[in-house]
Amino acid sequence: MHSFESLSKDFAAFFQKSHFPDQPASLYQPADYFLGLGGKRVRPVCCLMGNELFDEILPDTWQVATAIELFHNFTLIHDDIMDKAPLRRGMATVHSRYGEPTALLAGDVMLVVAYDYLNKVRSEHFHRIIQLFNRTAREVCEGQQLDMNFEKSETVSLDAYIKMIELKTSVLLAASLKLGAILGGAGEGNLHHIYEFGRNLGIAFQVQDDYLDAFGDPDKFGKQVGGDIMANKKTFLLIKALESADPALKAELDALLQSNHPDKVEKVLAIFRACGVDEWAKTLKDQYLSAAFQHLDDIAVLSKRKEPLRSLANFLVQRDY
Amino acid sequence: MHSFESLSKDFAAFFQKSHFPDQPASLYQPADYFLGLGGKRVRPVCCLMGNELFDEILPDTWQVATAIELFHNFTLIHDDIMDKAPLRRGMATVHSRYGEPTALLAGDVMLVVAYDYLNKVRSEHFHRIIQLFNRTAREVCEGQQLDMNFEKSETVSLDAYIKMIELKTSVLLAASLKLGAILGGAGEGNLHHIYEFGRNLGIAFQVQDDYLDAFGDPDKFGKQVGGDIMANKKTFLLIKALESADPALKAELDALLQSNHPDKVEKVLAIFRACGVDEWAKTLKDQYLSAAFQHLDDIAVLSKRKEPLRSLANFLVQRDY
């Protein structure tokens, strides 16, 4: 069994090459540029770990892991266009550097190349792999559409927000693990549990991300704390506060959402605390994390084999902040 | 053997259903809207014809034909965004009706659903089908990128323009025929010739399209004649005229390209005629059409079986205007 760190290093070495033809450079250089920005490669490594839970890592799994990472980067390039984001990982996004039309095409071609890697799979489970990959790809698009819809909605229910997060973030983590497990020969019960482990872990991670954006230690978090509040972004915290605040606090919160008051972040945080959404978010995160661990426990393999996935979960989501 | 008209009718009936889930409607309704705008469905029918040249039409071929049509529509949706086109087939484009972010995602999800149809193929040639589909998809993206590059270039060589047209338009026609032929069990030589038939036919069609935009009968052409000239679009005619005009005519043409003179179309057409590019274009088209028919002749099946493809070629490209 390999640790997350060890597999990350191996995957980075495997992925470190051009995935595209040379010409036209005006199309493929932007695609290479974006992949060169790096990333933690969590999803492809999950695919490798999902395989290794059940069997030695097979050559096919490296191909599927590569397809997953290319797919993920395709979604990031297109999301950045839709969100008009100037920066990603501190560097210019593809569209801000090369223009929107080229960014759009570079994303398209990256998705096509992801299918080139999938087409290298020779496993008997080939059609099932493509089916799950496609379903997940559709769901990720649906999640992005819901996210955009929510930006324009006055109110968003907590259930609808969780569904959106599940589609936009969680299903790809869950599917990455399951794709590896399918290749590793896992049975139906185990496939269910590893998918649910990933799905719950992904939601817990997003609750934590929303929490840290508001209440995190700026030195540790690595992003501007309060950025979501400044942007009126609908998060677990804001949605819950709008649902649970008493009329006076809700009126104050509504007024702050309309304003650009210099103390906006501080004042919104005070309301969040007054409504108890900070503690609520910790509890919610722990619920999803516990559900994830329960599904991990329920996978019928030796507990020792699960150690890398347990470490990964604890690395992605801390039990206390 | 079925005629193009008969297969078109059958394919329209097969394709006439929703290819997407119901929800979220904000994503899938725009995708359905675009498919509802119709089209001649030339490419999927070519796939059916490519199959029927060698064997009865197989169930797999309908799936691949559907994937091809979805892929083609995905490229149209994204091209319309890149070209900022307000209309397609006289109706609002997806981005002008639903906004660019949704159009981008609707295109993405249409490509994913194309792969869902490909994944239904159970032929022994499965991996080869995906490989050709992917290569073609990449090439179509490359062609669109080159087209955008050319818009910004001062000069474009005729060779570079033909290469762009080949990638942007021809390879999908060629691949559609070949995908059908692969499923129909054709051998390597026949596969080569059917692909080359489609590739040459596609280029002949584009030469004709450029010619008709300048010299066509407005009543028959169905588009505004002179639109390419008004937009300074690089076409076979303009590129050849810039290459072959004597210095005085070239200076006049360059000046017209900078102007919005009310007689611009008329004056440019006069220069085209003076350079003989109208006759040259007819000859060029005939060369590609002849090459296409030569490859059709070289396919080793009974001549009678080729009748539908011969009619299709004559329908798409007329020998005289």
Side-chain angles (χ1 to χ4, degrees):
Chain A
M1 302 299 289
H2 297 87
S3 66
F4 179 78
E5 290 71 23
S6 154
L7 289 174
S8 287
K9 229 174 114 187
D10 291 349
F11 182 77
F14 184 84
F15 195 69
Q16 176 69 38
K17 60 179 174 189
S18 177
H19 301 277
F20 310 101
D22 286 342
Q23 294 296 329
S26 50
L27 175 61
Y28 292 121
Q29 207 262 319
D32 277 327
Y33 161 77
F34 192 73
L35 295 180
L37 298 185
K40 293 192 296 292
R41 317 300 190 202
V42 170
R43 294 154 195 84
V45 174
C46 281
C47 180
L48 299 173
M49 292 166 89
N51 177 172
E52 205 179 25
L53 191 58
F54 301 98
D55 194 358
E56 277 184 26
I57 300 177
L58 304 164
D60 277 349
T61 309
W62 293 92
Q63 311 298 341
V64 174
T66 303
I68 290 168
E69 185 61 17
L70 289 172
F71 170 78
H72 176 58
N73 280 273
F74 141 76
T75 65
L76 296 180
I77 293 173
H78 280 191
D79 283 4
D80 284 343
I81 298 175
M82 292 181 246
D83 300 343
K84 300 194 179 301
L87 296 176
R88 162 83 57 187
R89 300 186 185 117
M91 299 284 284
T93 47
V94 179
H95 68 93
S96 58
R97 184 160 167 160
Y98 298 98
E100 286 191 16
T102 292
L104 205 168
L105 271 181
D108 289 348
V109 93
M110 203 175 278
L111 177 58
V112 171
V113 173
Y115 282 102
D116 270 334
Y117 280 97
L118 290 176
N119 197 36
K120 293 182 185 178
V121 170
R122 288 297 174 269
S123 160
E124 57 180 319
H125 304 295
F126 183 81
H127 286 290
R128 188 167 189 188
I129 295 288
I130 304 283
Q131 191 180 26
L132 176 55
F133 188 92
N134 287 356
R135 194 190 81 194
T136 307
R138 262 193 285 113
E139 288 176 338
V140 171
C141 292
E142 293 170 7
Q144 171 68 5
Q145 181 67 43
L146 291 177
D147 197 15
M148 297 191 303
N149 293 353
F150 291 174
E151 272 179 42
K152 294 180 206 149
S153 324
E154 285 272 307
T155 56
V156 173
S157 75
L158 189 61
D159 284 351
Y161 182 74
I162 292 175
K163 182 74 197 162
M164 182 277 284
I165 289 301
E166 192 182 317
L167 293 170
K168 192 173 168 178
T169 341
S170 272
V171 294
L172 185 55
L173 201 68
S176 299
L177 289 158
K178 184 170 169 176
L179 287 166
I182 292 171
L183 290 165
E188 291 308 317
N190 286 341
L191 290 175
H192 166 72
H193 288 304
I194 199 164
Y195 187 87
E196 288 300 309
F197 164 72
R199 194 180 64 81
N200 282 283
L201 184 63
I203 299 173
F205 178 81
Q206 189 64 46
V207 179
Q208 172 177 272
D209 204 56
D210 284 2
Y211 177 92
L212 291 177
D213 194 276
F215 296 108
D217 177 341
D219 294 337
K220 289 189 197 161
F221 186 49
K223 282 201 246 179
Q224 184 200 4
V225 166
D228 288 348
I229 293 175
M230 296 287 282
N232 284 352
K233 196 165 178 298
K234 294 187 181 78
T235 63
F236 276 103
L237 303 170
L238 179 59
I239 289 166
K240 182 66 178 177
L242 287 168
E243 274 188 16
S244 62
D246 64 39
L249 272 181
K250 184 167 184 313
E252 202 184 321
L253 186 52
D254 283 335
L256 279 165
L257 291 175
Q258 306 295 324
S259 83
N260 273 314
H261 197 284
D263 299 331
K264 178 170 175 173
V265 173
E266 225 168 280
K267 282 172 182 290
V268 170
L269 288 180
I271 295 174
F272 283 177
R273 283 198 189 90
C275 301
V277 297
D278 50 345
E279 289 305 317
W280 167 83
K282 285 189 191 184
T283 308
L284 186 69
K285 185 204 66 176
D286 283 341
Q287 282 170 359
Y288 280 107
L289 191 59
S290 296
F293 278 120
Q294 185 60 54
H295 284 291
L296 187 59
D297 286 347
D298 290 347
I299 297 174
V301 300
L302 288 179
S303 179
K304 204 168 155 3
R305 296 192 78 87
K306 301 175 187 173
E307 206 37 63
L309 285 173
R310 218 171 272 129
S311 307
L312 171 73
N314 285 320
F315 165 72
L316 289 177
V317 185
Q318 271 81 49
R319 279 199 180 262
D320 47 49
Y321 301 104
Chain B
M1 303 298 292
H2 297 87
S3 67
F4 179 79
E5 290 72 24
S6 153
L7 290 174
S8 287
K9 228 175 114 187
D10 292 348
F11 181 77
F14 183 83
F15 195 69
Q16 177 69 37
K17 61 179 173 190
S18 177
H19 300 278
F20 310 101
D22 287 342
Q23 294 296 331
S26 50
L27 176 61
Y28 292 121
Q29 206 262 319
D32 276 328
Y33 161 78
F34 193 73
L35 295 180
L37 297 185
K40 292 191 297 290
R41 316 298 189 203
V42 171
R43 293 155 196 82
V45 175
C46 280
C47 180
L48 299 172
M49 292 167 89
N51 176 171
E52 204 178 26
L53 190 60
F54 301 98
D55 195 357
E56 276 184 29
I57 300 178
L58 304 164
D60 276 348
T61 310
W62 293 93
Q63 310 298 340
V64 174
T66 303
I68 289 168
E69 187 60 17
L70 290 172
F71 170 78
H72 177 58
N73 280 273
F74 141 77
T75 66
L76 296 180
I77 294 173
H78 280 190
D79 283 3
D80 285 343
I81 298 175
M82 291 181 247
D83 301 343
K84 299 191 177 302
L87 297 174
R88 163 83 56 186
R89 298 182 186 120
M91 298 285 283
T93 46
V94 179
H95 68 94
S96 58
R97 185 159 166 160
Y98 299 98
E100 287 192 16
T102 292
L104 205 167
L105 270 180
D108 289 347
V109 94
M110 201 174 278
L111 177 58
V112 171
V113 174
Y115 282 102
D116 270 335
Y117 280 97
L118 290 176
N119 198 35
K120 294 183 185 179
V121 171
R122 289 297 176 268
S123 159
E124 56 178 320
H125 304 294
F126 183 81
H127 286 291
R128 188 168 189 185
I129 296 286
I130 304 282
Q131 190 180 27
L132 177 56
F133 187 92
N134 287 356
R135 194 189 80 193
T136 308
R138 261 192 285 113
E139 288 176 338
V140 172
C141 292
E142 292 171 7
Q144 171 68 7
Q145 181 67 43
L146 291 177
D147 197 14
M148 296 191 303
N149 293 353
F150 291 174
E151 271 179 42
K152 293 181 206 151
S153 326
E154 283 273 304
T155 57
V156 173
S157 75
L158 188 62
D159 284 350
Y161 182 74
I162 292 175
K163 183 72 197 164
M164 182 277 283
I165 289 301
E166 193 182 317
L167 292 170
K168 191 173 169 177
T169 342
S170 273
V171 294
L172 186 55
L173 201 68
S176 299
L177 289 159
K178 185 171 170 178
L179 288 165
I182 292 171
L183 290 164
E188 291 309 317
N190 286 340
L191 290 175
H192 166 73
H193 288 304
I194 200 165
Y195 187 88
E196 288 299 310
F197 165 72
R199 193 179 65 81
N200 282 283
L201 184 63
I203 298 173
F205 178 81
Q206 188 64 47
V207 179
Q208 172 176 272
D209 204 58
D210 283 3
Y211 178 93
L212 291 177
D213 194 278
F215 295 109
D217 178 341
D219 295 338
K220 290 188 196 160
F221 186 50
K223 282 200 248 182
Q224 182 200 4
V225 167
D228 288 347
I229 293 174
M230 296 287 282
N232 284 352
K233 195 165 178 295
K234 293 186 182 78
T235 63
F236 277 103
L237 303 170
L238 179 58
I239 289 166
K240 182 66 178 178
L242 287 168
E243 273 188 16
S244 63
D246 64 42
L249 272 180
K250 185 168 183 310
E252 201 185 324
L253 186 52
D254 283 333
L256 279 164
L257 292 175
Q258 307 296 325
S259 83
N260 273 314
H261 196 284
D263 300 332
K264 180 171 174 173
V265 172
E266 223 168 281
K267 282 173 183 289
V268 170
L269 288 180
I271 294 174
F272 283 176
R273 284 197 188 91
C275 302
V277 297
D278 50 345
E279 288 306 315
W280 167 84
K282 286 190 189 184
T283 309
L284 187 69
K285 186 205 64 175
D286 283 341
Q287 282 170 358
Y288 279 107
L289 192 59
S290 297
F293 278 120
Q294 184 59 55
H295 283 291
L296 187 60
D297 285 347
D298 289 347
I299 297 173
V301 301
L302 287 179
S303 179
K304 204 168 155 5
R305 296 192 79 86
K306 303 176 187 173
E307 207 38 62
L309 285 173
R310 218 171 272 128
S311 309
L312 170 72
N314 284 320
F315 166 72
L316 289 177
V317 184
Q318 272 79 50
R319 278 198 181 261
D320 47 50
Y321 302 103

